[in-house]
Amino acid sequence: MARTIYDKPTRALLKDMLADWSLKPGQVFTSSRAIEWFAKNYPKLKPGSIRAHLVQASTNDRSRLHHPATNKSDDLLFKVDSGQFRLYELGKDPAPIHEMVEGDVAREEAAAAAAEEDEGADALPGSSEFLLERDLQRYLAENLECIESGLKLYEDDDLRGIEFEAGGGRRIDILAIDKAGAFVILELKVSRGYDRVVGQLLRYMNWVRKELAEPGQRVRGIIVCRTISEDLCLACAGIKNVELCEYKLFVTVRKVPAMELPT
């Protein structure tokens, strides 16, 4: 069951915030202002969770679709710019995004990749390698026990730790919690893992420490690749709380008897 800190889920508290502000159509507010409101009224909620709920409520942000529970009741906001929002205006704004159409994933991932200075050699959006990485992500998210006993997908109200928003258009492949209560960031690479992925993982780990973790709560990272390069092993040597894993895929083929047709 998803974690709910207060009597109301965060998406309902977000509606309370908007009602409290009595915003006028077109009036813009920032994510920082929202975080300040929650810090005053619901201090147990972390900034990272609040930002994720703002994304979920933004009718024109495709990242909202990474949260399966998103529905029409979440059509509250229109994202003006990074960290800037206003009320959604029915009949004036484009129709809310409720499903991904063909090609949207590729465009979204391409935009995110452009913001990453170290993403140049990753799987290209729309490529077979990119699709395999998404298949790997879905499988591991549903079978985290195959990586580590007691590992569970992170949940915060109705938000799940798949493609979890980590600021600046970046997303954590899988965000999990281990049996000791530590955060675990899984960074997936469908092919060979190179040393530059370490910087990406460490950035995500520090973002979780800053935006989600409680004081003293441990944050770990796991890089999962088909082949771990020697350079990656060297880059991770001596780094605490970072582990490396290789995955293997197995395929079985079964012959299907031919259908007999009448003569």
Side-chain angles (χ1 to χ4, degrees):
M1 181 178 294
R3 181 188 66 167
T4 302
I5 298 177
Y6 293 99
D7 292 339
K8 288 183 177 181
T10 306
R11 66 204 305 183
L13 298 178
L14 184 62
K15 294 178 182 178
D16 291 346
M17 178 194 76
L18 297 174
D20 184 37
W21 285 349
S22 300
L23 296 174
K24 297 179 181 179
Q27 184 177 349
V28 176
F29 70 92
T30 64
S31 55
S32 296
R33 182 184 176 190
I35 290 169
E36 289 174 1
W37 185 89
F38 274 94
K40 178 181 178 181
N41 296 281
Y42 300 97
K44 293 182 181 179
L45 291 171
K46 296 295 182 179
S49 175
I50 297 164
R51 289 192 177 95
H53 279 88
L54 289 171
V55 167
Q56 185 185 39
S58 297
T59 57
N60 60 328
D61 193 327
R62 299 188 189 281
S63 295
R64 72 195 313 236
L65 299 181
H66 292 300
H67 306 299
T70 302
N71 56 53
K72 292 182 179 180
S73 68
D74 297 303
D75 296 342
L76 304 175
L77 304 174
F78 187 90
K79 188 174 182 179
V80 178
D81 202 346
S82 178
Q84 296 184 347
F85 309 86
R86 61 169 172 78
L87 294 177
Y88 168 66
E89 297 183 53
L90 181 64
K92 177 181 177 181
D93 292 327
I97 298 171
H98 288 143
E99 61 182 6
M100 197 75 79
V101 298
E102 185 177 359
D104 282 346
V105 172
R107 286 195 294 271
E108 181 188 9
E109 292 296 332
E116 296 274 5
E117 68 275 8
D118 58 350
E119 288 290 303
D122 281 347
L124 294 175
S127 68
S128 58
E129 190 173 351
F130 172 85
L131 297 175
L132 282 172
E133 190 166 304
R134 288 295 165 262
D135 288 338
L136 176 65
Q137 181 189 63
R138 285 192 291 269
Y139 177 82
L140 291 179
E142 295 173 1
N143 299 275
L144 288 172
E145 287 276 344
C146 74
I147 297 177
E148 181 178 300
S149 176
L151 198 61
K152 295 182 179 180
L153 193 66
Y154 172 75
E155 293 186 342
D156 180 1
D157 286 351
D158 54 335
L159 302 182
R160 302 171 72 234
I162 302 175
E163 294 288 326
F164 197 86
E165 180 76 21
R170 301 179 178 93
R171 291 187 296 276
I172 296 170
D173 287 336
I174 297 176
L175 181 61
I177 298 288
D178 68 16
K179 60 184 177 183
F183 276 103
V184 182
I185 293 98
L186 277 77
E187 181 62 27
L188 312 179
K189 299 298 175 188
V190 73
S191 57
R192 189 174 178 85
Y194 294 94
D195 55 353
R196 59 191 173 78
V197 74
V198 179
Q200 189 177 355
L201 177 65
L202 293 177
R203 180 173 59 206
Y204 290 150
M205 290 172 64
N206 284 327
W207 183 89
V208 169
R209 288 189 182 100
K210 178 176 180 286
E211 301 288 348
L212 291 177
E214 298 290 344
Q217 187 175 12
R218 188 183 177 197
V219 179
R220 302 164 46 209
I222 300 176
I223 298 172
V224 181
C225 308
R226 186 175 62 195
T227 304
I228 300 294
S229 69
E230 185 176 346
D231 283 346
L232 180 55
C233 287
L234 180 60
C236 291
I239 299 180
K240 292 183 178 180
N241 299 321
V242 172
E243 300 173 72
L244 303 176
C245 292
E246 289 183 339
Y247 72 88
K248 293 186 181 298
L249 298 178
F250 298 91
V251 177
T252 59
V253 178
R254 180 179 66 88
K255 283 190 176 182
V256 178
M259 180 183 294
E260 294 186 6
L261 299 176
T263 57

